[in-house]
Amino acid sequence: MNKLELISALKKESNISKSEAAKVVQIFFDSMAEALIEGERIEIRGLCSFFVKDYKSYVGRNPKTGEKVQIRPKKLPFFKCGKELRERVNKNLY
Amino acid sequence: MALTKVKITKQVHDLGFTQQESTEIVDTLLEIIKSCLENGEDVLVSGFGKFCVKDKPPRRGRNPATGDDLMLEGRRVVSFNASGKLRNRINGN
């Protein structure tokens, strides 16, 4: 499912207009992105939480050539699945 | 302070929906995302990232308390891949 499909599903299930649904979806992902850019944590009960992890500089290797490369310090968002989502995703397996 | 549903709902409220409507709309959106993943379908949001459903195979594990060998069943988990755009924005470039 992509963003457009998310918007039309929200439009249908919430009985709101397409442009309203588009705004809501935009607000949702924009505020998450902005929080991560600020280095802020995100906690959406039942779905997931995110925090930004700081990685120090390290010597990595180009997997193709085996060459050593210095990796600069970086930040990456770290995702943790919420309890409800984890249980629901897993239950259909059996 | 962490970003929570309250802050997102408040922004939806600012669009002109009542408090109750805003809560319902945000809950509906969350439910759509969750049921999509529950059905094994990935959720792709361009500019943000991709929520993927991954199947983990069964593997041999160990009870850390007793040291007994045991078989861990396969399971299904959700992973997240941040889009390159988001990663660059987090790193400030």
Side-chain angles (χ1 to χ4, degrees):
Chain A
M1 197 181 232
N2 59 29
K3 199 149 99 184
L4 277 178
E5 292 166 319
L6 215 53
I7 291 168
S8 47
L10 182 64
K11 164 189 186 279
K12 206 173 105 210
E13 286 182 40
S14 277
N15 272 318
I16 55 179
S17 74
K18 189 164 184 186
S19 77
E20 286 169 332
K23 279 181 197 155
V24 173
V25 171
Q26 203 61 46
I27 284 175
F28 184 68
F29 290 107
D30 277 354
S31 47
M32 292 212 287
E34 276 158 29
L36 292 173
I37 290 163
E38 296 297 316
E40 204 186 358
R41 283 172 48 84
I42 302 175
E43 236 182 274
I44 312 284
R45 277 294 133 84
L47 182 74
C48 62
S49 62
F50 285 97
F51 66 95
V52 179
K53 221 173 176 174
D54 265 305
Y55 290 85
K56 283 185 223 152
S57 168
Y58 62 94
V59 180
R61 253 173 217 280
N62 180 333
K64 232 185 211 156
T65 60
E67 235 176 309
K68 279 189 182 168
V69 258
Q70 186 71 31
I71 311 282
R72 275 182 289 174
K74 61 182 171 187
K75 292 177 188 165
L76 279 179
F78 201 83
F79 165 86
K80 193 164 181 244
C81 190
K83 184 164 184 260
E84 185 202 339
L85 179 62
R86 191 174 63 228
E87 288 171 356
R88 282 174 60 177
V89 164
N90 211 12
K91 110 186 163 237
N92 279 1
L93 207 55
Y94 307 104
Chain B
M1 241 272 289
L3 173 71
T4 59
K5 219 162 72 177
V6 180
K7 246 190 242 174
I8 295 168
T9 310
K10 208 179 152 288
Q11 289 187 62
V12 175
H13 179 54
D14 291 342
L15 291 178
F17 295 105
T18 67
Q19 195 64 55
Q20 198 194 336
E21 282 169 343
S22 313
T23 312
E24 281 169 8
I25 292 170
V26 172
D27 280 337
T28 307
L29 176 60
L30 293 178
E31 184 49 41
I32 293 167
I33 297 173
K34 282 185 269 192
S35 45
C36 180
L37 293 167
E38 184 179 356
N39 293 328
E41 202 191 324
D42 295 348
V43 176
L44 176 71
V45 185
S46 57
F48 186 76
K50 188 179 180 190
F51 297 88
C52 309
V53 181
K54 275 189 188 161
D55 282 313
K56 297 276 188 185
R59 64 190 169 93
R60 175 175 290 262
R62 214 175 258 274
N63 179 337
T66 63
D68 291 341
D69 269 347
L70 57 117
M71 239 10 228
L72 297 172
E73 281 168 63
R75 63 205 168 98
R76 188 173 260 190
V77 296
V78 180
S79 70
F80 175 75
N81 276 324
S83 89
K85 211 170 134 194
L86 178 65
R87 237 181 294 169
N88 285 338
R89 288 176 72 196
I90 290 175
N91 284 292
N93 44 26

